[in-house]
Each structure stands twice: as C-alpha cells, then as structure tokens.
Amino acid sequence: MTSLMNARLYAIVDLNYVADSNVSSVTAKLLDGGVDVLQLRAKNRPLPDVRRFASELRAQTAERGVPLIVNDHPEVAHDIGADGVHVGQDDMSVAEARAEIGADAVVGKSTHSIAQAIAAASEGADYIGFGPLFATPTKPDYTPIGLDRIAEAHQRVSIPIFCIGGIKLDNLAQVIAAGARRTVIVSGLLNAADVAEYARRAKEMLCQS
C-alpha cells in the first residue's frame, strides 16, 4: 500500500466529469498511469450510488495497492473498507469523521489558506488538500490562492500537503517550482485523451522534483 508520505499524484474520480458507465474504465486507466491515491467524489448523488461506486473502486484499488479515499461519506468508507475519507471546511470535523470511519483510517481535509492548513493539522488530519491554486470549475466559489503560499504551507505544516485546483501538465512545472511536493489533478486527468499517459507524465514530473 502506498503511504501518504511517499505519494505524489492524487487523482479523483469525480462523477461530475465521469459518466456512470465509464467509472470502472477511467479508474483502471488512472491506476495504469500510476496514481498514488484515488478518491471517489460523488457530490449530490444518492447514498446508494455513492456506496455502489465506492465498492467498485475498492475492488480495483485494492488489487493495485492504492489507497481509496471517499469524499464526504465516512459511513460509506467504513462499510466498504476504504482506506479513508476526505472532508471539506463546511463538513464534519476530523474527529467526527474518524469516529465514524475508524481510528486507523486516513482522514484528509480541504484547506484554502495557511490558517486553515495549520488548523487542520492541529485538528489531527492525516493530510490536507491546499488550494485552489488556480481557477477551477471544480471549486467555482473559491478565489484562487495562487502559488505564493505553497512554500509557507510546507514550512508551517508537517503532514502531507496535496496542492489542488486547476493543476494541469502545462502548469505543473510552475507548481513544483513554487514548492509543491504532491498534487491533486482532476479535470486535466479526467478530460485527457489518454488518461493513463497523462498520469504517467504528471507522476514523472513530480517524482523528479
């Protein structure tokens, strides 16, 4: 199983981008491309749908030794044997999520400022998402924080930081140069003509940094 400290590329199977009929094939391509962590994001979907797709992804990720994180639903993550759950600023606390999913599970938290990053680490999060760095349709209500705070975040927070938000191959070098060690890529991967190759190229850049 890939550890968070060793992880570089975090991918999200976001059902706003991936048709239900393509979830399994897209997941396979992401895994073929070498992603280190995979999250299921199924915003505004009925709980039975979340559970069904989470179970499907669990079977695929377990076979490859890749951690599976479920967005927003610790009870689903617990029931299907996922490795962790991810919560946002407006969701339950890290402690509440951990109480539902289990003490040994991973709990990640979205952060949008240095203050939130420090707070999440103090709250006991195992990792944070830090962003959005750039404007992104995934988080249209958030003002991009840019690249200037990446280095400071790494100085102030010791848990793994996954930079997120509008990151694509064409700006990944800038993100790495600004101090990022780990990134989440969503639309860039999911909209790629060759998902596996896109993941491989991103992973190679991150591993060389």
Side-chain angles (χ1 to χ4, degrees):
M1 182 71 67
T2 303
S3 74
L4 289 174
M5 292 303 296
N6 293 330
R8 292 292 177 265
L9 180 59
Y10 186 133
I12 298 179
V13 177
D14 188 331
L15 299 190
N16 285 327
Y17 288 93
V18 182
D20 290 7
S21 58
N22 293 335
V23 167
S24 182
S25 62
V26 167
T27 299
K29 291 171 185 175
L30 290 167
L31 294 169
D32 287 345
V35 302
D36 297 306
V37 184
L38 196 66
Q39 180 190 127
L40 171 66
R41 181 189 282 162
K43 292 283 188 183
N44 304 314
R45 295 295 294 262
L47 205 56
D49 282 4
V50 180
R51 195 178 302 277
R52 174 165 60 92
F53 288 118
S55 295
E56 196 172 299
L57 265 64
R58 170 74 290 182
Q60 291 177 272
T61 57
E63 193 175 286
R64 307 288 192 99
V66 172
L68 174 65
I69 308 295
V70 176
N71 188 274
D72 289 344
H73 296 287
E75 72 283 9
V76 172
H78 174 271
D79 291 348
I80 63 100
D83 300 283
V85 65
H86 187 92
V87 295
Q89 285 292 315
D90 299 325
D91 300 325
M92 67 187 70
S93 69
V94 169
E96 288 169 330
R98 201 181 300 285
E100 284 204 47
I101 190 174
D104 296 331
V106 169
V107 180
K109 187 155 189 171
S110 296
T111 65
H112 315 296
S113 67
I114 296 293
Q116 289 181 0
I118 294 169
S122 299
E123 197 185 342
D126 295 295
Y127 74 88
I128 58 170
F130 185 68
L133 301 186
F134 306 102
T136 169
T138 308
K139 297 283 186 182
D141 298 330
Y142 290 95
T143 302
I145 61 176
L147 304 178
D148 295 345
R149 296 301 182 90
I150 295 175
E152 182 183 355
H154 283 82
Q155 291 166 359
R156 304 285 296 274
V157 174
S158 59
I159 60 175
I161 298 170
F162 290 87
C163 292
I164 187 171
I167 301 172
K168 296 179 171 60
L169 279 178
D170 58 8
N171 60 26
L172 182 55
Q174 293 174 260
V175 175
I176 293 169
R181 301 168 193 165
R182 305 170 183 86
T183 63
V184 181
I185 300 180
V186 186
S187 63
L189 273 169
L190 299 180
N191 292 332
D194 186 332
V195 172
E197 178 59 22
Y198 198 102
R200 278 191 285 269
R201 290 171 62 193
K203 176 88 172 277
E204 184 178 350
M205 291 176 69
L206 287 161
C207 289
Q208 288 176 348
S209 62

